[in-house]
Amino acid sequence: MDRTTRRAALALSATLALAAPLVAASSAQAVSTEASPTAPAAATSPDSVYALVADAARAAQRDVAGNRALAHGPQTPTGSALDAAVDALVADGAVAVTARVENGRHSWSGAAGTRERTGHAPARERDRFRVASNTKPMIATLVLQEVEKGTWTLDTPVEDVLPGVMPAGVTIEQLLSHRSGAATATDWIIASRMTDLNSWDELFAVMGQEVTTADHITALQSAPWVNEPGAAYSYSNAGYVVLGLMLEEVTGRSVENLLERRVFAPAGMRQSDYPDDPGTRGPFLRESAYTGPEGAGWYDLDHFDPSLFAAAGAVTSTTEDLADFTEALVTGRLVDEETTADMLEPRTIGQEGAPEYGLGVYRIPDPCTPGAWLYGHDGASYGTISINLTSPDGARQVSVGITGRDVVYPFFTDEPLYDPSELFEEMLTQTC
């Protein structure tokens, strides 16, 4: 293999692994082929949105500890510092940024960049974007509503609801906490549809193809199993797709309908949607993927078909709606207090490279209060990354969406197109 082909294969194989959100970059499964023999190594990295935001939280803790004003009650968020951090991220290469901070008494929101990579319409604070795996806490909420109703328990085997879909013994709790052992499977779907794993054009073209329920099940059953059920954390989009199928089976309603009736409406999420076809409606931050100087530059993703993610990550939303969701969740408007506490309790503690993950949410250190935590999730589609975090009382929150994703760092390049760490740190500091 010549040097150019090998570089392309390495970068492309790493990109396939990015079908899973960055929180799972260390456990995402890559497809090994003769054209890309180093794919598994390329796809294994400690770098992730989760790692970035956790590091930012620790840095924010140091900032707060050294600032007596911040350590003694809520301050008005400093718009100039937050605006500067948002602007800097766009100046470094992000297409658009929309962000929101709430600290109990005050709030700030801002945006920078353009709605389209090649357009001129400015990004706005209430523009919608693809939230990817920030969908998972919403699906987990629907599942736990069924648990509260007595439809299931957390120990209910998938086999009891969807016979033959997963191995006997895999439970609802294992799916919710990513301990089922199932592969993420999204990358397997993409790779199985490609004839040339060296082709960026084909990779992004495949992302526009519809993925049916049968396709998701085939991928789940064909991709190599990662762990024994219950053994360890291993991020799985397929697990949440299965949870969506289980919800549809027992309720007779679509995931879209369930989200609209039982999550979006009671949480006041008026700008959120669960699309199953390509295209967008209304003001939207359109997705673009950057393949680096060794790749083919930029790809715009207006054709992306959200059926690839389905219940694992198809929701589109805004920073305000994401904040409304987490506030509604932790304050008892979607599930009761006991259920919320169970969702927030980590099932994974001390596993190297893994987040402290509960049932559809993970936790990071609270920069404002030593020993306390913020709870939420991140999301990473092929053109957008997002973060949504809240304090346990719902009073302090950060939510952010960034379009124009660098899909080759850290698998191929040493330096990212841009680094959101400074923005994350500033936002977290100003929740105090």
Side-chain angles (χ1 to χ4, degrees):
M1 183 185 299
D2 62 39
R3 183 179 181 184
T4 301
T5 301
R6 185 176 181 82
R7 283 179 172 178
L10 176 58
L12 185 55
S13 298
T15 303
L16 292 177
L18 294 172
L22 289 181
V23 68
S26 62
S27 60
Q29 299 298 296
V31 175
S32 179
T33 70
E34 291 183 1
S36 53
T38 56
T44 302
S45 168
D47 296 278
S48 68
V49 175
Y50 164 75
L52 285 173
V53 76
D55 287 346
R58 286 186 281 270
Q61 278 184 325
R62 294 190 291 271
D63 295 341
V64 173
N67 186 323
R68 290 186 177 181
L70 285 173
H72 288 81
Q75 310 293 308
T76 301
T78 307
S80 58
L82 289 163
D83 288 334
V86 167
D87 290 340
L89 204 54
V90 171
D92 287 345
V95 173
V97 180
T98 177
R100 183 177 184 85
V101 174
E102 299 181 15
N103 71 1
R105 295 182 184 176
H106 312 285
S107 65
W108 166 91
S109 59
T114 56
R115 288 174 177 164
E116 299 180 67
R117 182 179 63 86
T118 57
H120 301 287
R124 300 298 188 190
E125 297 164 9
R126 294 189 176 183
D127 285 351
R128 297 165 56 248
F129 52 91
R130 201 173 302 285
V131 307
S133 282
N134 270 303
T135 302
K136 288 183 172 69
M138 303 175 197
I139 298 299
T141 299
L142 293 174
V143 171
L144 288 163
Q145 288 172 350
E146 293 299 322
V147 171
E148 287 184 345
K149 287 197 270 184
T151 307
W152 300 321
T153 71
L154 289 177
D155 293 329
T156 296
V158 176
E159 179 74 8
D160 287 1
V161 185
L162 300 174
V165 170
M166 300 191 86
V170 175
T171 68
I172 287 175
E173 182 173 13
Q174 289 168 353
L175 295 184
L176 288 170
S177 59
H178 296 292
R179 294 179 301 118
S180 70
T184 196
T186 319
D187 53 327
W188 190 96
I189 294 171
I190 294 173
S192 68
R193 295 181 175 198
M194 294 179 64
T195 59
D196 180 6
L197 290 182
N198 293 329
S199 171
W200 289 106
D201 289 344
E202 187 177 12
L203 171 72
F204 289 108
V206 163
M207 293 180 191
Q209 297 177 5
E210 181 183 8
V211 181
T212 66
T213 296
D215 294 332
H216 279 292
I217 293 175
T218 297
L220 167 66
Q221 295 176 342
S222 301
W225 213 254
V226 180
N227 298 309
E228 290 294 320
Y233 173 94
S234 180
Y235 199 92
S236 175
N237 278 342
Y240 271 76
V241 172
V242 169
L243 287 169
L245 297 177
M246 294 174 69
L247 286 163
E248 292 181 337
E249 177 68 20
V250 300
T251 65
R253 296 180 179 271
S254 68
V255 169
E256 178 182 14
N257 180 269
L258 292 171
L259 285 170
E260 288 174 349
R261 291 175 59 250
R262 291 167 36 179
V263 175
F264 298 162
M269 301 167 67
R270 296 179 178 85
Q271 301 301 317
S272 297
D273 197 8
Y274 181 82
D276 58 4
D277 293 309
T280 60
R281 61 172 179 82
F284 198 90
L285 302 182
R286 298 179 182 272
E287 296 197 286
S288 298
Y290 178 66
T291 64
E294 301 288 351
W298 284 97
Y299 282 84
D300 297 323
L301 305 178
D302 289 348
H303 66 293
F304 176 80
D305 195 313
S307 63
L308 176 64
F309 290 157
V315 166
T316 62
S317 192
T318 66
T319 55
E320 185 176 30
D321 270 13
L322 287 177
D324 286 342
F325 165 70
T326 48
E327 181 179 358
L329 178 62
V330 299
T331 57
R333 286 160 51 198
L334 299 177
V335 293
D336 65 32
E337 182 178 339
E338 183 178 350
T339 299
T340 299
D342 201 19
M343 289 183 72
L344 302 185
E345 184 66 27
R347 271 55 171 183
T348 306
I349 297 179
Q351 183 178 328
E352 185 176 359
E356 296 189 353
Y357 204 98
L359 304 179
V361 296
Y362 61 67
R363 70 183 189 184
I364 64 166
D366 185 340
C368 309
T369 307
W373 306 93
L374 299 178
Y375 297 88
H377 215 284
D378 63 65
S381 67
Y382 293 94
T384 303
I385 62 174
S386 62
I387 288 287
N388 189 34
L389 298 164
T390 185
S391 58
D393 61 0
R396 297 182 297 109
Q397 299 179 302
V398 297
S399 50
V400 61
I402 304 169
T403 54
R405 186 179 171 197
D406 184 342
V407 296
V408 292
Y409 175 81
F411 306 102
F412 180 52
T413 57
D414 294 331
E415 294 292 331
L417 179 64
Y418 54 83
D419 182 356
S421 299
E422 182 178 344
L423 174 62
F424 294 163
E425 180 180 342
E426 187 66 40
M427 293 178 70
L428 288 163
T429 298
Q430 296 212 33
T431 63
C432 301

